[in-house]
Amino acid sequence: MRVLTEAETRELVTTADAYRIVEAAYLAYGEERTVLARPPGATMLVPHEPPTIVILKGAMLASQGIVGTRYAMQFGNYYCFVSDSRTNRLLGVVEESWLFRHRVGVTAGVAARWLAPPDVRTIGLIGAGLLNTEACIALAHDFPDARFRVNARRPERARSFAERLGSRTGAAVTSVATAREAVEDADIVVAITLAEQPMIEPGMLKRGTLMLSMGGVEEVTFDCLPEFDRIVVDDPDYAFVRGDFAAWVAAGHIERTALEARIDADIGEIACGTKAGRRDDGETILAVIQGMACFDIALSKHAIDEANRRGTGTWVESIAASPGHAPPENRRLVRTPYPTLVVDD
């Protein structure tokens, strides 16, 4: 199998690659409907106080012949294990801390392709962390003429974000003092935060805005619900585990069944054309896009394939491996008694 570090992965996956792969994964999700492991929250282990949370999420893309598991330590590193879904052979292990962040940004961009109003001029960003960094990069890739306004809890972080991302993307990125200023007249709003209170309140969004709520906390107050003409999600089940929907139901604002009835489509249905994307310029849309493990599996498989083609990364082989799986020429061979042992190069 191939083992890739984060630095190696950055050299193997471009933003253009990621857009293509995420769109294909959304299409597979729409057509196959079996890409996600259940339950959506996967496995969380809390062995001591303060807790160390381990999260496992699995996915399969049958049309691509791959299955995998995403392993995450909260506030730590992320790894993706990719296998052949027909033979169960482990194809590779990818350190995906950056790749995960990049796919979050690209999913925002892909959703915006289908749901944003025409002629996007202004994009509001709520949150100035690593995830919104990648969202800014991805959206600047698709909307090069748009200007960005960013707000964060700490003004100095918003200012630093604006300087870094403006220089990196070439876009006009400015920091503002409040969330209201960030979203005023914005065509797209992206919220990815750890905020303790929702930042989007009634009357803040103009008609026709695409509101992308992508964090794991409540970012849009429940009182905004009547302002949205449509609601779109990626994974409907996971939407009730964390984020806006989970918070609204837990607070007793609405029953789950009533909120499920308000969901117009999932993004897979839009990708494969069974449900419409944006239907008119004035449609105000809430899209709860929290990401799915199928993207991580697909992007990691692409990185593994590219590494095999270029001869980069570390090749690890078990002594129990099939004789037919010899390492490529000029690759370092590390023999171990355990098929899933990762050996640092």
Side-chain angles (χ1 to χ4, degrees):
M1 67 178 178
R2 185 73 58 181
V3 179
L4 300 175
T5 66
E6 178 174 326
E8 290 164 341
T9 303
R10 284 176 179 267
E11 298 297 319
L12 296 168
V13 182
T14 68
T15 298
D17 290 334
Y19 262 99
R20 174 178 54 81
I21 293 163
V22 168
E23 286 190 340
Y26 270 137
L27 179 62
Y29 173 42
E31 294 178 341
E32 298 172 23
R33 314 306 297 175
T34 57
V35 300
L36 302 176
R38 292 290 183 252
T43 301
M44 296 188 183
L45 305 176
V46 187
H48 54 71
E49 294 291 341
T52 298
I53 301 176
V54 180
I55 303 172
L56 299 174
K57 297 181 74 173
M60 173 181 283
L61 291 168
S63 59
Q64 298 181 30
I66 53 175
V67 63
T69 301
R70 181 170 177 269
Y71 168 90
M73 296 288 291
Q74 192 174 34
F75 308 119
N77 290 327
Y78 300 81
Y79 298 91
C80 195
F81 297 76
V82 183
S83 297
D84 186 308
S85 63
R86 300 175 182 87
T87 66
N88 293 325
R89 176 174 172 256
L90 185 60
L91 303 175
V93 179
V94 177
E95 183 182 7
E96 62 142 12
S97 298
W98 167 78
L99 190 58
F100 156 71
R101 297 193 299 268
H102 195 56
R103 71 91 163 148
V104 170
V106 170
T107 54
V110 171
R113 284 183 174 182
W114 295 326
L115 299 172
D119 193 24
V120 172
R121 298 293 183 90
T122 304
I123 299 174
L125 303 175
I126 308 299
L130 294 173
L131 297 179
N132 244 347
T133 293
E134 297 298 332
C136 185
I137 292 168
L139 290 166
H141 176 274
D142 252 25
F143 304 98
D145 296 326
R147 65 181 185 271
F148 293 78
R149 293 194 297 254
V150 59
N151 169 254
R153 285 180 293 177
R154 288 185 286 170
E156 66 274 15
R157 291 199 66 183
R159 289 192 294 268
S160 174
F161 181 102
E163 293 172 4
R164 287 184 293 106
L165 272 297
S167 174
R168 182 169 177 179
T169 65
V173 186
T174 58
S175 62
V176 293
T178 66
R180 183 175 294 275
E181 291 175 87
V183 308
E184 183 179 9
D185 293 325
D187 303 294
I188 301 172
V189 174
V190 182
I192 312 178
T193 74
L194 295 173
E196 297 178 355
Q197 297 292 332
M199 289 123 328
I200 306 301
E201 298 177 348
M204 289 176 62
L205 302 176
K206 74 172 183 178
R207 295 294 303 161
T209 296
L210 168 62
M211 175 71 230
L212 290 168
S213 183
M214 303 182 67
V217 298
E218 184 180 8
E219 296 172 326
V220 180
T221 185
F222 174 74
D223 291 337
C224 291
L225 185 59
E227 297 182 359
F228 295 109
D229 300 302
R230 298 179 68 201
I231 296 177
V232 176
V233 299
D234 48 9
D235 179 4
D237 286 335
Y238 190 73
F240 288 94
V241 175
R242 300 182 66 194
D244 295 319
F245 290 2
W248 295 348
V249 171
H253 295 311
I254 191 171
E255 294 290 332
R256 173 168 176 162
T257 53
L259 189 50
E260 286 175 331
R262 280 294 317 271
I263 297 174
D264 182 72
D266 68 56
I267 202 79
E269 294 172 319
I270 292 172
C272 69
T274 58
K275 295 286 183 71
R278 174 171 287 270
R279 298 177 296 197
D280 62 68
D281 295 359
E283 194 171 52
T284 306
I285 300 173
L286 171 63
V288 179
I289 306 297
Q290 296 169 297
M292 299 184 293
C294 58
F295 303 132
D296 302 291
I297 306 306
L299 287 165
S300 294
K301 176 59 162 56
H302 171 80
I304 292 165
D305 288 344
E306 277 295 295
N308 287 335
R309 185 178 68 83
R310 300 183 194 183
T312 60
T314 301
W315 183 267
V316 181
E317 185 172 319
S318 164
I319 59 174
S322 166
H325 295 309
E329 292 184 8
N330 78 0
R331 287 296 86 210
R332 185 171 74 89
L333 173 61
V334 181
R335 300 184 69 84
T336 80
Y338 305 105
T340 57
L341 178 64
V342 178
V343 178
D344 194 10
D345 191 8

